[in-house]
Amino acid sequence: MKFKAEIGIIGVNPFVFVPGKILLKIFVQSGKSKGPIPIKGTINNKPYQQTLVKYSGAWRLYINTTMLSNSPKKIGEIIEITIVFDPAERIIKPHPKLVKSLSENKDAKKVFYNLSPSRRNEIVRYISFLKTEASIDKNVARAIKFLLGKDRFVGRDKP
């Protein structure tokens, strides 16, 4: 399914609205019309994998910088999008250094497992996609501080 859309912004997050007819087809394909729906497609012919979410009464496709470079600077731009339900499983295992740090800090581990699944996944995903060992080490330490209420992490205030 293909459409064009103007990039908008809500808070600091660039997004596009998905046309109603396409949403209905995705609901049928996914077998649901509530909760996050995994999708894939292209933006300006570049492949992406993302999750459709409903926020503040509207379904949005958030456009991050891996999907479209400099996306926050492209508000108002019209982009070409293809979209389809993605049935592939999307489990990302926590980085071994995060697992080790959580096992060494019971207070942080308790907070981590009391976070919502989406917040836990956000932390796991962020650390898992880092490229250098130095970045991984630095961000695992920041994540632990965040879980202990001592710092911000991935743009989030203390839990």
Side-chain angles (χ1 to χ4, degrees), residues 47-67:
Y48 71 88
Q49 187 180 47
Q50 184 61 293
T51 305
L52 273 179
V53 293
K54 189 173 185 179
Y55 175 75
S56 209
W59 285 92
R60 293 174 167 72
L61 170 57
Y62 288 95
I63 311 293
N64 62 40
T65 55
T66 59
M67 296 164 68

Side-chain angles (χ1 to χ4, degrees), residues 5 10 15 26 37 39 45 50 68 92 158:
I10 188 164
F15 75 94
I26 290 172
I37 300 175
I39 54 151
N45 296 314
Q50 184 61 293
L68 183 66
I92 300 172
K158 303 168 196 166

Side-chain angles (χ1 to χ4, degrees), residues 132-144:
T132 68
E133 290 301 313
S135 291
I136 293 165
D137 292 341
K138 180 179 92 173
N139 283 283
V140 166
R142 286 182 63 216
I144 297 298

Side-chain angles (χ1 to χ4, degrees), residues 121-137:
N121 287 337
E122 186 175 23
I123 292 169
V124 167
R125 188 178 317 112
Y126 183 85
I127 292 171
S128 294
F129 288 113
L130 294 171
K131 305 243 186 287
T132 68
E133 290 301 313
S135 291
I136 293 165
D137 292 341

Side-chain angles (χ1 to χ4, degrees), residues 2-156:
K2 191 174 189 176
F3 66 101
K4 291 182 180 183
E6 180 179 334
I7 300 175
I9 192 160
I10 188 164
V12 297
N13 301 305
F15 75 94
V16 296
F17 290 112
V18 178
K21 288 180 181 180
I22 292 175
L23 272 175
L24 291 175
K25 289 178 183 178
I26 290 172
F27 294 160
V28 169
Q29 291 174 345
S30 67
K32 65 180 188 173
S33 61
K34 293 182 181 181
I37 300 175
I39 54 151
K40 63 183 178 180
T42 61
I43 293 181
N44 294 343
N45 296 314
K46 180 183 174 192
Y48 71 88
Q49 187 180 47
Q50 184 61 293
T51 305
L52 273 179
V53 293
K54 189 173 185 179
Y55 175 75
S56 209
W59 285 92
R60 293 174 167 72
L61 170 57
Y62 288 95
I63 311 293
N64 62 40
T65 55
T66 59
M67 296 164 68
L68 183 66
S69 59
N70 295 319
S71 59
K73 295 179 181 176
K74 297 186 178 186
I75 307 308
E77 215 173 276
I78 304 293
I79 57 176
E80 290 186 8
I81 302 164
T82 64
I83 188 171
V84 66
F85 169 65
D86 183 7
E89 196 164 327
R90 295 188 181 179
I91 296 174
I92 300 172
K93 292 183 180 180
H95 192 282
K97 289 185 177 184
L98 177 61
V99 172
K100 183 177 187 263
S101 290
L102 289 171
S103 70
E104 292 172 350
N105 191 316
K106 293 190 187 317
D107 291 337
K109 183 177 182 176
K110 182 179 179 181
V111 172
F112 181 78
Y113 286 104
N114 282 325
L115 292 174
S116 68
S118 63
R119 183 72 61 94
R120 281 195 310 266
N121 287 337
E122 186 175 23
I123 292 169
V124 167
R125 188 178 317 112
Y126 183 85
I127 292 171
S128 294
F129 288 113
L130 294 171
K131 305 243 186 287
T132 68
E133 290 301 313
S135 291
I136 293 165
D137 292 341
K138 180 179 92 173
N139 283 283
V140 166
R142 286 182 63 216
I144 297 298
K145 285 181 186 176
F146 167 76
L147 294 167
L148 296 174
K150 297 178 182 176
D151 205 353
R152 290 174 50 96
F153 187 66
V154 293
R156 303 281 188 185

